Amino acid sequence: MARRKRLTPALSPLGGEAPPMQATPSRAPIAQVAGDAAALAAFEEVAGEMGRARDEGRLLLRLSRGEIRTDHLIRDRIAVDPEALEELKRSLRARGQQMPVEVVALEAGRGPRYGLISGWRRLLALAELEAETGDPRFGEVLALVRRPSDQAEAYLAMVEENEIRAGLSFYERARIVLKAVEAGVYESEKDALQSLFPAISYSKRSKIKSFVPLVAAFDAVLRHPARISERLGLALARGLAEDPGLADRLRAALEGLDPGDEAAEAQAIEACLGAGPAPAKAAGQGGEAPAEESRDAPDQSLKRDFEPVIQGLSMARGRHEVVLRGQRVTPSFIARLEAWLATLD
């Protein structure tokens, strides 16, 4: 009978019995190359989509506030309502930042990497919260990177965001029109008005245009211009056109006021408007016309520059006269107007 050969286990160089040898499956070189190419293609596709998302403003970034330059654009908002700001801070404290700000990448160099387009109030609220609480989470900002084609598009994005979220006063709207023209973003006030406010009515654009002379004349001395009402602002614009001395009188009155007194500023404007220009001399006489006659006489210099008020109704204004015209001026409309005027006594 043949003897069976006993197999002696191989010894490991480190001692003990070596583990059984396992065959390593071989892979064809072509399969290896194909797999690597597929993985690389998938990676490049993901990276490309991430890049497109970033460029198109679909990728949310977490930035330090110090990376964002807030004065990249001339801001349209002048004043911040303290109560509204406190409400925003309470929301940020409780729920964090829900809506991202919008930024544009700046050229590489010293200083912030991004310029702010919209979201100035959110940055201000975050800065105040970090100062009040010391919580570092308020030092970070959620942001979307936009790529406006030019400065005009960036200004439009800023204005649209504020028009939607918190409407600007007519003064603030007029101010950004004037400042954008001065900065060379637009060639004329007309271009700026039509580009920055394309969706609003012609009537509102006309009112914004009326406020532009106010900005040019008083921006350096007004402390609370955003508080000027539509009525007061339009009256002041008419006064500037009719009374050449009004601008100097009002600037003198405003310069002596307490900068923090909003009511005093409005009263100074009303007082200067009420004073009016010096009465004109009566025709054929060397002296001045009687005060009563000057105050009550209709404004013969009214140019009849009619502005639309609502559809079917336009109005021309003078210092002592208002003229209405249009399809809405019917007997019924006149009766309602007379009844309303009677309630003012």
Side-chain angles (χ1 to χ4, degrees):
M1 178 182 293
R3 288 187 180 178
R4 293 184 179 177
K5 185 180 290 187
R6 184 179 181 183
L7 298 177
T8 304
L11 297 179
S12 167
L14 299 179
E17 186 174 322
M21 298 295 291
Q22 295 183 355
T24 302
S26 60
R27 188 178 184 187
I30 187 64
Q32 181 69 42
V33 172
D36 292 345
L40 180 60
F43 175 80
E44 289 177 346
E45 182 179 356
V46 172
E49 180 58 29
M50 293 287 285
R52 286 190 295 273
R54 180 189 177 98
D55 293 342
E56 295 169 6
R58 296 183 286 113
L59 184 63
L60 198 62
L61 302 180
R62 188 178 296 276
L63 305 176
S64 165
R65 273 202 336 274
E67 294 182 87
I68 301 175
R69 179 179 168 184
T70 56
D71 61 350
H72 172 62
L73 300 179
I74 301 170
R75 310 315 304 177
D76 51 354
R77 187 174 299 283
I78 299 173
V80 176
D81 183 348
E83 183 177 350
L85 184 63
E86 286 302 318
E87 290 177 357
L88 177 57
K89 287 165 62 177
R90 285 196 293 271
S91 174
L92 289 169
R93 191 193 297 264
R95 303 178 61 237
Q97 184 186 349
Q98 300 298 306
M99 296 298 299
V101 304
E102 294 182 324
V103 298
V104 59
L106 302 178
E107 294 183 3
R110 295 182 179 179
R113 298 168 52 199
Y114 300 93
L116 182 66
I117 295 178
S118 64
W120 180 76
R121 288 174 66 250
R122 270 159 281 168
L123 281 182
L124 176 62
L126 287 168
E128 290 192 3
L129 282 171
E130 186 180 23
E132 293 169 6
T133 66
D135 191 334
R137 71 187 173 107
F138 297 123
E140 294 183 330
V141 184
L142 296 178
L144 290 172
V145 180
R146 301 299 192 191
R147 295 186 65 186
S149 59
D150 52 24
Q151 271 198 308
E153 187 177 334
Y155 272 92
L156 176 59
M158 174 183 66
V159 170
E160 283 184 339
E161 199 260 358
N162 277 332
E163 286 288 321
I164 293 170
R165 297 192 180 284
L168 301 172
S169 68
F170 279 106
Y171 188 98
E172 288 172 310
R173 291 164 170 165
R175 185 175 185 274
I176 195 59
V177 166
L178 185 61
K179 296 301 180 181
V181 173
E182 291 177 353
V185 180
Y186 301 99
E187 293 184 359
S188 67
E189 292 174 7
K190 181 179 179 180
D191 290 341
L193 275 166
Q194 293 178 343
S195 299
L196 292 174
F197 304 99
I200 67 175
S201 67
Y202 173 82
S203 176
K204 282 189 176 181
R205 274 203 302 272
S206 177
K207 290 173 184 177
I208 296 171
K209 181 180 178 181
S210 297
F211 272 73
V212 171
L214 274 63
V215 179
F218 305 118
D219 202 45
V221 292
L222 285 170
R223 297 294 183 270
H224 310 283
R227 304 297 185 185
I228 297 177
S229 67
E230 176 186 337
R231 179 197 63 80
L232 182 57
L234 292 175
L236 184 54
R238 291 192 297 273
L240 286 175
E242 298 167 1
D243 180 5
L246 175 60
D248 290 337
R249 293 200 309 273
L250 183 52
R251 276 193 290 264
L254 293 172
E255 286 173 354
L257 296 179
D258 176 2
D261 195 337
E262 296 182 26
E265 185 170 276
Q267 290 169 3
I269 296 173
E270 295 273 11
C272 287
L273 281 173
K281 293 182 179 181
Q285 300 181 8
E288 295 180 347
E292 285 299 316
E293 180 181 343
S294 174
R295 183 166 55 248
D296 297 334
D299 186 0
Q300 301 298 329
S301 64
L302 185 63
K303 297 180 180 180
R304 296 290 191 269
D305 290 329
F306 284 89
E307 297 180 356
V309 179
I310 56 177
Q311 186 176 0
L313 182 65
S314 299
M315 179 167 62
R317 305 174 180 86
R319 188 153 37 90
H320 304 298
E321 186 175 6
V322 173
V323 180
L324 298 173
R325 73 178 183 186
Q327 296 176 349
R328 286 179 178 256
V329 183
T330 63
S332 174
F333 173 86
I334 295 172
R336 295 200 307 272
L337 178 60
E338 290 175 342
W340 175 76
L341 289 172
T343 66
L344 302 181
D345 293 339

